[in-house]
Amino acid sequence: LDFAAFHSIHTLQITTHQIAPSTMGAHGRVLIPYPIFSGQPPTPKTAALSAIGKCRINPASYTTQIHVSAFADIVSKTILQSTATSPEDTKKFQKQSIALTTHYLIHLCGLDPSIVEIEVVLPPENVLNSGGCLAACFLDGGCSKIVVDGRSIEAVECMRLPRDKICAHYVANIPSVGYIKSLAGHRSIDIKSGVNAVQSLPNDVEERDVVTTVMMTPPKIGDGHGGDGDGDEAIAKMLEEIGLFTAMGVNVGLVNPSAKQLGSCFMEQARTDRVDGLFTTVVTTRLNEALGLVYSSKESVIAALECNRGVYYSRSRAALWRKGDTSGHYQNLHRIDIDCDADALRFTVTQRGKDVKAFCHLNDLTCWGKPTGFRGLEETLAKRMKDAPVGSYTKRLFNDPVLLRNKLVEEAQELSECVSRQHGAEEMADVLYFAMVKAATLGVTLDDVAVELDKRDRKVTRRKGDSKEDRIKAADAILKK
């Protein structure tokens, strides 16, 4: 990166809704500024800001008693895990610490680690005292990266994690540049916000080149109702500063931003060729099923981040459209993404509704008619639970848990013995049917399963995966009946 060239630039013109290739990350994706929750934990309102797909939390900086106690409990459990003298105790404390971490992230911080990338800042002393177990615990609990003081080489080494899971953070200079690059795949640094923010980077060229993210405190938010930091002039200056860094391929983290600040940063990275200035937006489920096609504006995206719901722009009414305010079919917002060309948005949501979960005005889940496949089966099972026709086999399974258990075991055994592609597909369909019937009795949805699968993908600790003898014996007993 040619940082020196930027010092000779007197004025950098940032054209609204246009993006240059240089603002793309290493993998061709747009660099989106993301929120840093520092000094104050995410609240039900501010946690919605994580919907831009990424955030950073700093548990040790939070002073609310419930967060302090919860983090202390996690640290204590991981220390017990690291000092356990038997495999049984090690496993027990590991499960307890992961459960505590998951509760901390989801219930205390209001974050969704299955779909949002969560970076967590951990104190070096806690990492060392737990023998690195604390870092693994937060990754197993759903976090995507561990952020640790880069000056504590011992703590970075102690974690024994893949490079891409570690971010070394610095307040000023970056010592041991070459060695830290070999340990940490990401490096962040605090900077001073101002007209020449880029000049607050380290003076040493090699140190600058190692920076992948800068932490910037945005202008004062004021009273939250169009105060200083939310004013157009203040936001314009902030966008200009951020543009300098993203043009270098360096991402920006905003410390405790407002929805307007973050939403403005997000939409600055998008472009549109529509004369009305709107952005084509695809609305999908957690399984990436398209619910419908809508349009967004900068104001609608900011509104969505403020209320954590699907909010779009209605062309017919020429106004913001808060999905569900009239119909009752509202949406929980999980994530907003910009596509690879930066000219379309995707809202990932969970569709809600009192009578039926419908996105379409025709009372269907999608604007393309009735769903098929897994989602179609899920809808059918939901209907059978409420009102099944006479002689319904599905209703019989709902009413007979022993029969349902036996059929699950039976079909799984038949699948395990398949040798042909067609037979395998048939038996797999049987297993999925009975599994989804069981899930329906528990109130488990396909989206719930997707959440669990995505959470497991983040884990760094893996079990051996050996079969359990007692479960095999129980299954054999069922099959012999």
Side-chain angles (χ1 to χ4, degrees):
L1 300 176
D2 188 1
F3 285 88
F6 279 88
H7 288 297
S8 65
I9 295 177
H10 298 290
T11 305
L12 179 66
Q13 297 296 329
I14 304 293
T15 304
T16 304
H17 303 324
Q18 292 184 349
I19 184 168
S22 57
T23 62
M24 299 289 186
H27 301 290
R29 293 291 179 182
V30 180
L31 292 173
I32 304 295
Y34 61 99
I36 312 296
F37 299 107
S38 181
Q40 47 189 305
T43 64
K45 182 176 181 179
T46 61
L49 301 181
S50 66
I52 60 92
K54 186 176 181 180
C55 70
R56 179 178 291 192
I57 61 173
N58 189 350
S61 74
Y62 304 151
T63 57
T64 52
Q65 187 57 47
I66 189 171
H67 289 86
V68 171
S69 298
F71 183 62
D73 288 343
I74 296 171
V75 173
S76 297
K77 288 295 182 182
T78 56
I79 292 175
L80 288 174
Q81 176 190 342
S82 68
T83 56
T85 57
S86 70
E88 292 77 17
D89 282 345
T90 299
K91 182 178 180 181
K92 178 182 71 174
F93 292 129
Q94 180 188 50
K95 291 182 66 175
Q96 291 176 351
S97 63
I98 293 174
L100 289 172
T101 301
T102 301
H103 180 269
Y104 181 90
L105 295 173
I106 297 175
H107 299 287
L108 296 188
C109 292
L111 302 174
D112 185 350
S114 70
I115 197 169
V116 172
E117 295 180 25
I118 304 173
E119 300 176 344
V120 58
V121 181
L122 298 179
E125 60 271 21
N126 292 150
V127 173
L128 290 169
N129 290 339
S130 68
C133 292
L134 181 63
C137 170
F138 269 92
L139 291 176
D140 289 339
C143 290
S144 59
K145 293 184 186 68
I146 303 299
V147 183
V148 69
D149 190 333
R151 296 170 299 177
S152 180
I153 298 296
E154 186 179 4
V156 177
E157 293 176 328
C158 174
M159 293 190 290
R160 301 182 297 277
L161 295 173
R163 288 180 68 252
D164 65 328
K165 298 292 185 180
I166 302 175
C167 177
H169 182 72
Y170 300 88
V171 176
N173 295 332
I174 303 178
S176 307
V177 172
Y179 186 52
I180 202 63
K181 284 182 70 174
S182 69
L183 294 176
H186 309 271
R187 285 78 53 188
S188 62
I189 190 168
D190 290 334
I191 64 166
K192 297 178 181 178
S193 179
V195 177
N196 296 316
V198 69
Q199 294 182 9
S200 64
L201 286 169
N203 293 324
D204 185 271
V205 174
E206 187 178 13
E207 290 183 27
R208 289 182 178 185
D209 186 57
V210 82
V211 175
T212 57
T213 306
V214 295
M215 302 291 103
M216 176 189 294
T217 300
K220 183 181 178 182
I221 296 175
D223 60 8
H225 300 284
D228 296 338
D230 279 346
D232 292 340
E233 183 178 350
I235 287 180
K237 290 181 178 179
M238 179 185 66
L239 293 176
E240 182 176 345
E241 291 181 5
I242 292 173
L244 288 168
F245 291 108
T246 56
M248 298 174 190
V250 176
N251 206 354
V252 176
L254 295 175
V255 180
N256 301 326
S258 69
K260 184 175 181 180
Q261 290 171 337
L262 189 64
S264 297
C265 291
F266 182 89
M267 293 305 290
E268 185 71 14
Q269 311 307 316
R271 64 185 178 190
T272 179
D273 55 6
R274 291 178 57 89
V275 294
D276 56 11
L278 298 178
F279 298 83
T280 304
T281 302
V282 180
V283 185
T284 72
T285 68
R286 290 294 301 260
L287 296 179
N288 284 331
E289 303 158 298
L291 296 177
L293 184 70
V294 296
Y295 294 90
S296 298
S297 64
K298 183 177 76 171
E299 291 72 24
S300 70
V301 168
I302 291 172
L305 293 175
E306 287 177 332
C307 66
N308 205 26
R309 282 177 48 183
V311 182
Y312 313 105
Y313 187 86
S314 170
R315 294 173 298 164
S316 60
R317 287 176 285 187
L320 294 188
W321 169 32
R322 287 168 53 94
K323 175 65 176 171
D325 276 0
T326 302
S327 65
H329 298 150
Y330 69 96
Q331 299 167 340
N332 293 129
L333 174 63
H334 299 298
R335 181 164 175 152
I336 310 175
D337 291 287
I338 297 177
D339 79 336
C340 57
D341 292 323
D343 60 359
L345 306 183
R346 178 183 65 181
F347 272 56
T348 302
V349 304
T350 292
Q351 183 65 52
R352 303 294 187 184
K354 292 183 179 180
D355 50 346
V356 62
K357 298 176 182 179
F359 176 85
C360 181
H361 70 288
L362 297 178
N363 235 29
D364 289 329
L365 178 64
T366 83
C367 289
W368 289 276
K370 301 291 184 182
T372 58
F374 295 129
R375 191 68 72 180
L377 176 57
E378 183 178 63
E379 281 201 357
T380 298
L381 294 178
K383 292 177 181 177
R384 293 292 184 269
M385 288 197 78
K386 293 180 178 179
D387 184 23
V390 177
S392 167
Y393 181 63
T394 299
K395 187 66 173 179
R396 180 186 169 196
L397 291 172
F398 284 147
N399 295 333
D400 191 341
V402 175
L403 173 63
L404 177 54
R405 179 202 63 183
N406 291 349
K407 292 300 296 183
L408 266 171
V409 173
E410 173 192 324
E411 298 300 340
Q413 189 264 348
E414 291 180 2
L415 175 61
S416 70
E417 296 179 352
C418 289
V419 294
S420 72
R421 182 175 181 274
Q422 179 60 36
H423 190 201
E426 294 169 354
E427 295 302 334
M428 184 65 174
D430 287 341
V431 169
L432 288 172
Y433 164 71
F434 289 106
M436 288 183 65
V437 170
K438 177 62 178 179
T441 66
L442 301 173
V444 175
T445 68
L446 289 171
D447 286 358
D448 295 330
V449 177
V451 167
E452 187 60 34
L453 289 172
D454 289 338
K455 281 168 54 180
R456 293 183 183 186
D457 187 52
R458 301 277 175 89
K459 288 188 175 183
V460 293
T461 304
R462 303 294 180 184
R463 295 180 295 180
K464 290 183 179 180
D466 295 334
S467 60
K468 298 177 181 178
E469 186 175 350
D470 60 326
R471 304 308 303 166
I472 298 299
K473 289 182 179 179
D476 285 341
I478 292 173
L479 295 170
K480 289 177 181 178
K481 290 182 180 179

